[in-house]
Amino acid sequence: NYLKKLGFPVKPILGIPLNHFTPAEKRIYDGLNTNKGKLVSYDQIGEIFWGNDEAALDKFNLYSIAKIMEKIRKKIKDHGIYQELIYTVRGQGYVLYD
């Protein structure tokens, strides 16, 4: 909104092709998009990423979540959207804004 007020064109996120993300990245992005403007906790992202698989609980760690978020952000920027859309809330999770 700030950039719009200054007169800068802001590209919508909807222009990203569905095949731009891996299935796991797409699930996480969709989870963030469903909760746009709201905090999505690390636990919620873990459930989206690994599901309710008991064996997957051993794989759950913040480093894995941070790396996949980094990949999602990079793919958004690679598609030409340089506006920061996904914000980290330290110690809590992530928020998607448009």
Side-chain angles (χ1 to χ4, degrees):
N1 290 334
Y2 177 73
L3 293 175
K4 286 180 187 176
K5 287 179 184 178
L6 293 176
F8 289 96
V10 179
K11 293 183 180 180
I13 191 70
L14 301 175
I16 296 178
L18 295 176
N19 62 354
H20 197 65
F21 295 118
T22 65
E25 292 167 349
K26 181 165 178 3
R27 284 194 314 269
I28 291 173
Y29 176 77
D30 288 344
L32 289 168
N33 197 30
T34 300
N35 296 296
K36 192 179 292 184
K38 298 177 187 171
L39 176 72
V40 179
S41 71
Y42 294 125
D43 289 337
Q44 290 171 310
I45 292 171
E47 286 177 21
I48 293 169
F49 187 52
W50 289 288
N52 293 327
D53 184 13
E54 293 278 329
L57 292 176
D58 295 334
K59 299 177 188 174
F60 180 87
N61 63 52
L62 296 180
Y63 179 77
S64 297
I65 292 173
K67 292 309 280 183
I68 198 160
M69 296 306 291
E70 180 182 324
K71 290 177 184 179
I72 292 171
R73 287 176 171 145
K74 183 181 180 327
K75 288 182 179 184
I76 290 170
K77 286 184 181 175
D78 288 348
H79 196 68
I81 301 171
Y82 297 103
Q83 175 186 2
E84 193 66 39
L85 300 175
I86 301 172
Y87 292 87
T88 303
V89 179
R90 186 174 222 145
Q92 297 180 26
Y94 296 92
V95 179
L96 174 74
Y97 293 110
D98 57 356

